[in-house]
Amino acid sequence: MASVHGVELPFSGSAAGAYDAGRAPYVPDVLAALDLPAPPARVLDLAAGTGLLSRALLVAGYEVVAVEPDLEMAAQQPEGVERLAAAAEATGLPAASVDAVTVGDAWHWFDAMAAADEVHRVLRPRGRLALVWRLS
């Protein structure tokens, strides 16, 4: 089982497919509410998991970079998404390389200060950070 910050991830292995199938997709209205730069802006989806938010971004016309440390989860990401096996605190992306960063239901998994520093580092000037939590 994969771990982040010494915490075992409960979604890895065979659970990744069930996790993906059992979660509701992000609807287009969610993206509209985020006020992201217009497509085809380059968006980093942190802790992208199986790609629920990445899929919505891709369909909306964004260039998507999905960062996910769990390889089983990342394997569920859709084609057309650039996949990086990394953590939110150290993405490996060049400085000022994305127009926006999204995090869907996952900020609580991060070392918040280190992740905020990494987000600041990879965002281009006037870039945006969008944190999304769904109630269900």
Side-chain angles (χ1 to χ4, degrees):
M1 184 178 285
S3 69
V4 173
H5 307 300
V7 176
E8 297 298 319
L9 298 177
F11 310 118
S12 59
S14 62
Y19 176 86
D20 188 61
R23 301 270 308 214
Y26 287 90
V27 296
D29 289 347
V30 170
L31 294 185
L34 298 181
D35 193 30
L36 296 172
R42 188 167 194 230
V43 178
L44 167 59
D45 189 13
L46 280 182
T50 61
L52 294 173
L53 186 51
S54 297
R55 281 185 193 97
L57 291 163
L58 194 62
V59 167
Y62 290 97
E63 177 186 339
V64 181
V65 179
V67 167
E68 172 55 48
D70 186 304
L71 298 178
E72 296 290 333
M73 295 285 278
Q76 304 288 321
Q77 285 279 340
E79 287 192 33
V81 170
E82 179 183 343
R83 301 175 192 170
L84 296 176
E89 301 82 359
T91 64
L93 288 169
S97 61
V98 297
D99 301 299
V101 175
T102 59
V103 181
D105 299 296
W107 189 266
H108 60 281
W109 287 107
F110 307 160
D111 173 329
M113 291 304 293
D117 287 345
E118 181 67 354
V119 166
H120 178 71
R121 188 185 73 75
V122 301
L123 275 174
R124 292 182 178 132
R126 300 186 185 268
R128 298 184 185 153
L129 169 63
L131 306 179
V132 181
W133 278 272
R134 298 181 294 173
L135 298 177
S136 58

